[in-house]
Amino acid sequence: PCIMEALNCDPDDILNIQAALNKTTEISFKLTNYFIKTADFIAYYTHNSSSEFNVIPKEGILDQSGRDGTQFIVTYSPIEYGKVKIANLIIETDEVQ
């Protein structure tokens, strides 16, 4: 028998974003596919992420490696004062998460 266990991997990057209470701040970044071809993707936050974060687009085509990249916009709209919020964004293709 073979026993397998899936573990969480380390994040590729850490983004820090700050916003005033009840205001929205955004940051953007570009990402390319790991392989030299475009790939369909979905972008979502893990279940334990704060709902005060949003990502645009949530799905689309990830530009191929060596190109300009697909732009993602992450927004943060805090509704509580003084609490640090954390969100884990996953951008997933058929080949890579």
Side-chain angles (χ1 to χ4, degrees), residues 33-78:
N33 190 19
Y34 182 78
F35 301 105
I36 306 176
K37 65 178 183 175
T38 60
D40 293 335
F41 74 86
I42 57 170
Y44 59 93
Y45 289 98
T46 57
H47 70 281
N48 58 342
S49 296
S50 170
S51 62
E52 297 166 337
F53 292 90
N54 191 28
V55 63
I56 301 167
K58 295 187 184 324
E59 59 183 72
I61 297 174
L62 199 58
D63 206 2
Q64 69 185 39
S65 178
R67 294 263 175 106
D68 193 35
T70 301
Q71 183 172 10
F72 291 88
I73 298 171
V74 172
T75 63
Y76 174 54
S77 304

